[in-house]
Amino acid sequence: MNNTHYQAIVAAPAFALGIQCNGDEITGIDFLEPQPEQPAETPLAAEAVRQLRAYLADPAAAFGLPLRPSGTTFQRRVWGEIAAIPLGETHTYGQLAKNLKNAPRAVGQACGANPFPVVVPCHRVIATGGGLGGFARERGGFLLEVKRWLLQHENCLPG
Protein backbone atom coordinates (compact mmCIF):
# COMPACT_ATOMS: atom_id res chain seq x y z
CA MET A 1 0.00 0.00 0.00
CA ASN A 2 1.18 3.51 -0.83
CA ASN A 3 1.69 5.50 2.37
CA THR A 4 2.70 8.69 0.57
CA HIS A 5 1.06 11.84 1.92
CA TYR A 6 -0.57 13.86 -0.83
CA GLN A 7 -1.55 17.51 -0.52
CA ALA A 8 -4.48 16.73 -2.87
CA ILE A 9 -5.91 13.88 -4.92
CA VAL A 10 -7.76 14.48 -8.18
CA ALA A 11 -10.19 11.82 -9.40
CA ALA A 12 -10.03 11.03 -13.11
CA PRO A 13 -11.81 8.45 -15.25
CA ALA A 14 -10.47 5.06 -14.08
CA PHE A 15 -7.54 6.53 -12.10
CA ALA A 16 -6.57 9.30 -9.71
CA LEU A 17 -3.66 11.73 -9.46
CA GLY A 18 -1.87 12.33 -6.18
CA ILE A 19 -0.24 15.74 -5.87
CA GLN A 20 2.78 16.36 -3.68
CA CYS A 21 4.09 19.87 -3.12
CA ASN A 22 5.91 22.11 -0.75
CA GLY A 23 5.00 25.75 -0.30
CA ASP A 24 6.46 26.87 -3.62
CA GLU A 25 6.77 23.91 -6.00
CA ILE A 26 5.10 20.73 -7.15
CA THR A 27 7.45 17.95 -6.01
CA GLY A 28 5.61 15.04 -7.63
CA ILE A 29 2.45 13.73 -9.21
CA ASP A 30 1.58 10.04 -8.93
CA PHE A 31 -0.89 7.87 -10.79
CA LEU A 32 -3.12 6.14 -8.26
CA GLU A 33 -5.80 3.50 -8.45
CA PRO A 34 -9.30 5.05 -8.62
CA GLN A 35 -10.25 6.65 -5.31
CA PRO A 36 -12.17 9.60 -3.92
CA GLU A 37 -10.76 13.07 -4.26
CA GLN A 38 -8.87 14.60 -1.37
CA PRO A 39 -9.33 18.35 -0.93
CA ALA A 40 -6.26 20.51 -1.44
CA GLU A 41 -4.32 21.32 1.71
CA THR A 42 -2.40 24.29 0.30
CA PRO A 43 -2.96 27.07 -2.24
CA LEU A 44 -0.42 25.50 -4.62
CA ALA A 45 -2.13 22.11 -4.37
CA ALA A 46 -5.46 23.85 -5.10
CA GLU A 47 -3.95 25.43 -8.23
CA ALA A 48 -2.58 22.04 -9.33
CA VAL A 49 -6.04 20.53 -8.84
CA ARG A 50 -7.57 23.34 -10.90
CA GLN A 51 -5.10 22.85 -13.75
CA LEU A 52 -5.37 19.04 -13.74
CA ARG A 53 -9.18 19.23 -13.76
CA ALA A 54 -9.00 21.70 -16.66
CA TYR A 55 -6.83 19.20 -18.58
CA LEU A 56 -9.20 16.33 -17.78
CA ALA A 57 -12.08 18.41 -19.16
CA ASP A 58 -10.11 19.69 -22.17
CA PRO A 59 -6.73 18.24 -23.18
CA ALA A 60 -5.78 21.59 -24.76
CA ALA A 61 -5.68 23.22 -21.31
CA ALA A 62 -2.20 24.55 -20.59
CA PHE A 63 -0.16 23.83 -17.50
CA GLY A 64 1.73 26.55 -15.68
CA LEU A 65 2.80 24.88 -12.46
CA PRO A 66 6.12 25.50 -10.71
CA LEU A 67 7.86 22.11 -10.87
CA ARG A 68 10.70 21.33 -8.47
CA PRO A 69 13.83 20.50 -10.45
CA SER A 70 14.77 16.86 -10.04
CA GLY A 71 16.46 14.02 -11.87
CA THR A 72 19.79 13.63 -13.58
CA THR A 73 21.00 15.93 -16.34
CA PHE A 74 20.06 13.27 -18.91
CA GLN A 75 16.58 12.76 -17.40
CA ARG A 76 15.95 16.51 -17.49
CA ARG A 77 16.99 16.58 -21.16
CA VAL A 78 14.55 13.73 -21.93
CA TRP A 79 11.76 15.45 -20.01
CA GLY A 80 12.45 18.66 -21.94
CA GLU A 81 12.07 16.76 -25.23
CA ILE A 82 8.85 15.16 -23.96
CA ALA A 83 7.44 18.52 -22.87
CA ALA A 84 7.99 19.78 -26.44
CA ILE A 85 5.79 17.07 -28.03
CA PRO A 86 2.69 18.93 -29.22
CA LEU A 87 -0.80 17.96 -28.11
CA GLY A 88 -2.25 15.37 -30.50
CA GLU A 89 1.14 13.98 -31.50
CA THR A 90 3.28 11.11 -30.35
CA HIS A 91 6.99 10.44 -30.73
CA THR A 92 8.75 7.11 -30.42
CA TYR A 93 11.42 6.24 -27.89
CA GLY A 94 13.71 5.85 -30.91
CA GLN A 95 12.96 9.36 -32.22
CA LEU A 96 13.74 10.88 -28.84
CA ALA A 97 16.89 8.76 -28.54
CA LYS A 98 18.08 9.96 -31.94
CA ASN A 99 17.41 13.60 -30.99
CA LEU A 100 19.35 13.09 -27.75
CA LYS A 101 22.07 10.92 -29.31
CA ASN A 102 21.38 8.12 -26.84
CA ALA A 103 19.74 4.69 -26.67
CA PRO A 104 15.96 4.13 -26.72
CA ARG A 105 16.20 2.07 -23.52
CA ALA A 106 17.81 5.01 -21.68
CA VAL A 107 15.04 7.28 -22.95
CA GLY A 108 12.44 4.77 -21.74
CA GLN A 109 14.04 4.64 -18.30
CA ALA A 110 14.03 8.44 -18.10
CA CYS A 111 10.36 8.48 -19.16
CA GLY A 112 9.58 6.03 -16.37
CA ALA A 113 11.31 8.28 -13.84
CA ASN A 114 9.24 11.35 -14.80
CA PRO A 115 8.01 12.85 -11.50
CA PHE A 116 5.37 15.02 -13.19
CA PRO A 117 3.25 12.78 -15.43
CA VAL A 118 0.46 14.46 -17.38
CA VAL A 119 2.15 17.86 -16.90
CA VAL A 120 5.28 16.49 -18.62
CA PRO A 121 3.37 14.24 -21.06
CA CYS A 122 5.45 11.05 -21.10
CA HIS A 123 2.32 9.23 -22.29
CA ARG A 124 3.00 10.77 -25.73
CA VAL A 125 6.10 8.56 -26.12
CA ILE A 126 5.27 5.25 -27.79
CA ALA A 127 7.07 2.24 -29.23
CA THR A 128 8.29 2.06 -32.81
CA GLY A 129 5.51 0.63 -34.94
CA GLY A 130 2.77 2.38 -32.97
CA GLY A 131 2.56 0.10 -29.93
CA LEU A 132 2.05 1.74 -26.57
CA GLY A 133 5.36 0.50 -25.15
CA GLY A 134 5.62 0.76 -21.40
CA PHE A 135 4.43 3.43 -19.03
CA ALA A 136 5.71 4.63 -15.68
CA ARG A 137 8.11 1.66 -15.57
CA GLU A 138 5.32 -0.83 -16.23
CA ARG A 139 4.72 -2.96 -19.33
CA GLY A 140 1.05 -3.71 -18.73
CA GLY A 141 -1.86 -3.54 -16.35
CA PHE A 142 -3.35 -0.49 -14.71
CA LEU A 143 -0.76 2.07 -15.78
CA LEU A 144 -0.80 0.99 -19.41
CA GLU A 145 -4.58 1.50 -19.38
CA VAL A 146 -3.98 5.00 -17.99
CA LYS A 147 -1.61 5.69 -20.91
CA ARG A 148 -4.23 4.41 -23.36
CA TRP A 149 -6.88 6.67 -21.77
CA LEU A 150 -4.61 9.73 -21.90
CA LEU A 151 -3.80 9.14 -25.58
CA GLN A 152 -7.49 8.66 -26.40
CA HIS A 153 -8.29 11.82 -24.42
CA GLU A 154 -5.80 13.71 -26.61
CA ASN A 155 -7.01 12.04 -29.83
CA CYS A 156 -3.61 10.56 -30.59
CA LEU A 157 -4.03 6.87 -29.79
CA PRO A 158 -1.80 4.92 -32.17
CA GLY A 159 -3.04 2.30 -34.58
Side-chain angles (χ1 to χ4, degrees):
M1 179 166 174
N2 185 348
N3 290 324
T4 303
H5 177 76
Y6 296 105
Q7 281 69 46
I9 295 176
V10 177
F15 62 98
L17 295 162
I19 300 163
Q20 299 171 63
C21 58
N22 60 31
D24 302 320
E25 301 165 311
I26 303 296
T27 58
I29 298 172
D30 293 331
F31 288 113
L32 305 172
E33 295 281 346
Q35 60 188 276
E37 291 203 344
Q38 173 187 306
E41 297 176 359
T42 67
L44 179 55
E47 179 58 19
V49 167
R50 186 193 70 73
Q51 290 186 31
L52 287 165
R53 283 184 182 152
Y55 167 82
L56 292 168
D58 177 2
F63 288 104
L65 296 169
L67 306 177
R68 181 184 185 115
S70 63
T72 67
T73 300
F74 176 71
Q75 287 172 332
R76 289 192 306 270
R77 286 179 55 218
V78 171
W79 301 335
E81 289 282 320
I82 292 168
I85 300 171
L87 176 67
E89 292 184 22
T90 58
H91 289 191
T92 66
Y93 295 99
Q95 286 173 299
L96 292 180
K98 185 176 179 184
N99 293 349
L100 295 164
K101 296 176 179 40
N102 212 302
R105 182 176 299 249
V107 168
Q109 290 171 339
C111 287
N114 174 12
F116 310 111
V118 179
V119 176
V120 176
C122 51
H123 57 276
R124 295 181 189 157
V125 183
I126 61 172
T128 300
L132 291 180
F135 191 53
R137 298 187 174 148
E138 300 290 331
R139 302 264 335 140
F142 164 70
L143 290 173
L144 204 56
E145 290 307 311
V146 171
K147 182 174 185 172
R148 185 181 322 278
W149 186 90
L150 291 167
L151 290 171
Q152 286 174 334
H153 182 58
E154 295 181 359
N155 294 314
C156 60
L157 185 65

